[in-house]
Amino acid sequence: MFKKISKFTLLFLLGLQTLFAASVNDGYVEYQNGNNQQAVEIFKKACENGASSGCYNLGLMYYNGTQVEQEYFKAAEAFAKACDDGHDKACYNLAYMYEKGYGVRLDSNKALSLYEKTCKNGVGASCFNIANIYEDGEVVEKDLFKAVDYLTKACNLDHSKACYNLALKYQNEDGVEKNPLRAAQLYDKACNLGNSKACYNLGIMYTTDDYFKKDNIKALELFTKACGMNLKEACKAYDNLRGLVY
């Protein structure tokens, strides 16, 4: 049985900024050492002095609430300031908060606008989320062709879930013409990007002659890879197939 996936994600990577590297880096060091309150104060000061990465990191600290009181409003405020200064990851996270109504009034149109802006600037997760919006049809009119278009953009930006979802579409003739070979290529890319379900699905394709020449050895390799990523179905599939091969 083929596996499907989850949807929206938030970006959680602390950032540095060349112009304010010293102060922001000091905050990062404090964060790495577990001194979260000190990190917050350093990021806050850097943010006030115009460091967009300081604002972005401050937003992450408030959003996560790790040994610091979780305050979505302050997180959104910090992300907004960083976004105004051109920090794309902050804009993406702010879009996510508008999408979910975290710390701000829920505003799906504002979220979509920010996703579109950051998708154009190369944030694969934004393109991926736009694809889901067109797939769901709740914020905008459902449009499977646009969903495929944005999944393609996200996959081209190495977003593993986008490549995986796009593979499913080509395999199941969902908004595109059925193309198992294209699906296999996309599963392979997603698998190499660390998507366990893509490795598993590609492995399943190799266990039959329905798509291309059957190759149980290749299937075992893929199940092993997916199992190593803690996908239980892949571990079970490996055990079942191994007895037939060896």
Side-chain angles (χ1 to χ4, degrees), residues 72 96-107:
Y72 285 149
Y96 181 88
M97 296 187 80
Y98 274 115
E99 177 75 15
K100 301 299 180 183
Y102 295 161
V104 293
R105 184 185 297 275
L106 192 149
D107 190 334

Side-chain angles (χ1 to χ4, degrees), residues 9 21 26 31 48 72-73 83 128 134 179 194 196 217 223 241:
T9 54
D26 287 344
Y31 172 80
E48 291 170 352
Y72 285 149
F73 173 77
C83 181
F128 176 70
Y134 279 110
N179 189 336
S196 62
I217 300 299
F223 291 151
L241 184 59

Side-chain angles (χ1 to χ4, degrees), residues 7-233:
K7 293 188 176 181
F8 296 89
T9 54
L10 187 72
L11 298 177
F12 284 119
L13 181 64
L14 291 182
L16 301 178
Q17 184 169 356
T18 304
L19 183 60
F20 299 92
S23 60
V24 177
N25 188 60
D26 287 344
Y28 181 76
V29 170
E30 293 293 345
Y31 172 80
Q32 289 290 86
N33 290 333
N35 301 320
N36 291 298
Q37 193 57 54
Q38 291 90 326
V40 165
E41 294 305 318
I42 293 170
F43 290 146
K44 187 183 296 184
K45 184 174 181 180
C47 179
E48 291 170 352
N49 289 334
S52 61
S53 59
C55 301
Y56 170 70
N57 290 349
L58 182 63
L60 289 180
M61 298 288 288
Y62 281 129
Y63 186 94
N64 288 328
T66 307
Q67 296 183 19
V68 176
E69 185 177 356
Q70 187 177 55
E71 297 186 66
Y72 285 149
F73 173 77
K74 287 186 177 181
E77 191 175 53
F79 286 145
K81 188 168 183 180
C83 181
D84 288 342
D85 288 336
H87 196 293
D88 286 324
K89 289 180 180 177
C91 293
Y92 171 86
N93 284 356
L94 183 62
Y96 181 88
M97 296 187 80
Y98 274 115
E99 177 75 15
K100 301 299 180 183
Y102 295 161
V104 293
R105 184 185 297 275
L106 192 149
D107 190 334
S108 299
N109 290 321
K110 179 68 173 176
L112 180 59
S113 176
L114 286 166
Y115 284 144
E116 288 175 340
K117 173 185 174 181
T118 47
C119 175
K120 289 177 182 177
N121 289 342
V123 179
S126 292
C127 306
F128 176 70
N129 284 5
I130 294 172
N132 286 326
I133 288 172
Y134 279 110
E135 182 84 27
D136 293 339
E138 295 179 2
V139 178
V140 295
E141 184 177 353
K142 188 181 179 80
D143 190 327
L144 295 181
F145 295 108
K146 283 190 176 181
V148 168
D149 182 46
Y150 278 103
L151 281 177
T152 301
K153 290 178 181 179
C155 181
N156 288 339
L157 291 167
D158 291 339
H159 192 285
S160 67
K161 290 180 181 179
C163 297
Y164 175 77
N165 274 11
L166 194 57
L168 284 174
K169 287 186 172 294
Y170 277 106
Q171 187 173 4
N172 300 321
E173 200 171 5
D174 181 13
V176 291
E177 185 176 348
K178 188 169 185 174
N179 189 336
L181 291 180
R182 179 58 178 153
Q185 291 171 346
L186 289 163
Y187 281 140
D188 184 60
K189 179 174 183 178
C191 176
N192 289 330
L193 290 170
N195 190 296
S196 62
K197 295 175 184 177
C199 302
Y200 172 77
N201 280 10
L202 185 56
I204 292 291
M205 293 180 79
Y206 274 110
T207 62
T208 73
D209 290 314
D210 295 342
Y211 306 101
F212 32 71
K213 186 176 180 180
K214 183 176 179 179
D215 189 337
N216 283 339
I217 300 299
K218 181 65 176 177
L220 281 174
E221 291 175 358
L222 289 161
F223 291 151
T224 299
K225 190 170 184 178
C227 181
M229 298 178 200
N230 299 316
L231 186 66
K232 292 181 180 179
E233 293 89 335

